Amino acid sequence: MIPRLTAFGIAGVGVIVFKLLQLPLPWLLGPIFACLLAALAGLPMRGIKLLNEGMRTILGVAVGATFTTALLGSMIGMWPTLLMIPVMTGSIGIVGVWYFQRIWGFDFPTSYYGAMPGGLQDMLVFGEEAGGNVRTLSLIHATRVMVIVVVLPFLLTLVWGADLTNPPGAPASTIAWQQITLMAFCGIAGWRVAKRVGMFGASILGPLLLAALLSLIGVLQHRPPAEAIWAAQFFIGMGVGCQYAGVTLPEVRKDVTAGLGFCIILLVLTVIFAEAIHLADLAPPLETVLAFAPGGQAELTVLALIVGADMAFVVAHHVLRIFVVILGAPLFARLFAQHSNTGK
């Protein structure tokens, strides 16, 4: 209980400091930085997994509530950029495996699942089954998500002039209680049903699909209130920062540093693909960066909501990326196992 209370308190301090200094995204970046610094100082922290997943349902409902028939129709024209997602994912895998194996000496399972830009929990599960180092994978992916989420807001502001001070939704007091109840139903029911059928990213995609259905038939007419999305940002940020709890100096020197170097590679690849899409005039630059940035799905959904990006475009590309990664993970695990057996 004490590590959880400590995490809550430190994350809250991070929000306050960011607000006082008028820094961007205080509810997301404040907890990330505060919990990261506390972890490096050796303070024991721990999040609440069920609560963290529950907060992600808010983002799923927020995205689903934006769906209209016109928006769905526009998704048909996304196929040229959607086809580039597997190409980029493959490029990340090839470069990442080489980087982690040759530069840092990690074994193949750790290198492969450390390079794949999938969900943190999914990559840890697959990596552990393949014989990878779970602690190393955890630190690499936490670093990937943290760096992408921290760097992107500043790029969005400096390069594209995005306004990150926009409220992510209307105040709760202005939304009818019937709509709020309906949103809660979409979040809980969508999450539990999606989890029961084994859907990847169930906490986001289940509520998204249910909310989208109700939005398309005109029953759901509002996005979740600003207070709910701020709460989701808070717990997501705290969860990212808490991944570093218990980190040791040798882990910082090797695992975290390796993760930081890989983030540079990811950012370079993102810029290359985004620039190619921009030059071909296939999509707007802001949406392209948000759609192709290999950060966490929840974190990038938050950024897309705040800057008012085309949610269908951003979410469609991230869902495809996660699908490609998760579909390929078991296949590569079997291939590696066969290779190991033949080499004995």
Side-chain angles (χ1 to χ4, degrees), residues 50-107:
L50 185 64
L51 186 56
N52 288 345
E53 286 189 358
M55 286 294 163
R56 289 169 180 258
T57 66
I58 297 171
L59 301 180
V61 175
V63 175
T66 65
F67 274 67
T68 62
T69 52
L71 196 61
L72 285 179
S74 69
M75 293 178 69
I76 299 175
M78 298 179 190
W79 66 266
T81 53
L82 287 172
L83 288 177
M84 296 187 72
I85 289 292
V87 178
M88 182 175 178
T89 303
S91 301
I92 290 173
I94 293 170
V95 176
V97 169
W98 178 89
Y99 167 78
F100 286 126
Q101 280 193 301
R102 296 297 181 88
I103 306 298
W104 294 98
F106 294 148
D107 55 51

Side-chain angles (χ1 to χ4, degrees), residues 47-202:
I48 303 176
K49 183 181 178 182
L50 185 64
L51 186 56
N52 288 345
E53 286 189 358
M55 286 294 163
R56 289 169 180 258
T57 66
I58 297 171
L59 301 180
V61 175
V63 175
T66 65
F67 274 67
T68 62
T69 52
L71 196 61
L72 285 179
S74 69
M75 293 178 69
I76 299 175
M78 298 179 190
W79 66 266
T81 53
L82 287 172
L83 288 177
M84 296 187 72
I85 289 292
V87 178
M88 182 175 178
T89 303
S91 301
I92 290 173
I94 293 170
V95 176
V97 169
W98 178 89
Y99 167 78
F100 286 126
Q101 280 193 301
R102 296 297 181 88
I103 306 298
W104 294 98
F106 294 148
D107 55 51
F108 178 82
T110 303
S111 299
Y112 175 74
Y113 291 103
M116 284 293 98
L120 172 63
Q121 298 303 323
D122 300 316
M123 293 304 98
L124 293 185
V125 170
F126 287 135
E128 184 176 20
E129 290 179 354
N133 187 316
V134 176
R135 177 62 176 172
T136 296
L137 288 172
S138 176
L139 291 173
I140 288 173
H141 283 292
T143 301
R144 168 177 65 88
V145 172
M146 182 194 68
V147 170
I148 297 296
V149 172
V150 169
V151 170
L152 263 186
F154 292 99
L155 286 178
L156 294 175
T157 302
L158 295 174
V159 179
W160 291 283
D163 185 1
L164 299 180
T165 62
N166 291 325
S173 59
T174 65
I175 302 175
W177 67 267
Q178 295 93 335
Q179 286 289 302
I180 292 179
T181 303
L182 191 59
M183 293 175 206
F185 169 76
C186 289
I188 297 171
W191 172 29
R192 302 316 296 175
V193 171
K195 191 170 185 178
R196 183 174 291 275
V197 301
M199 180 184 293
F200 66 89

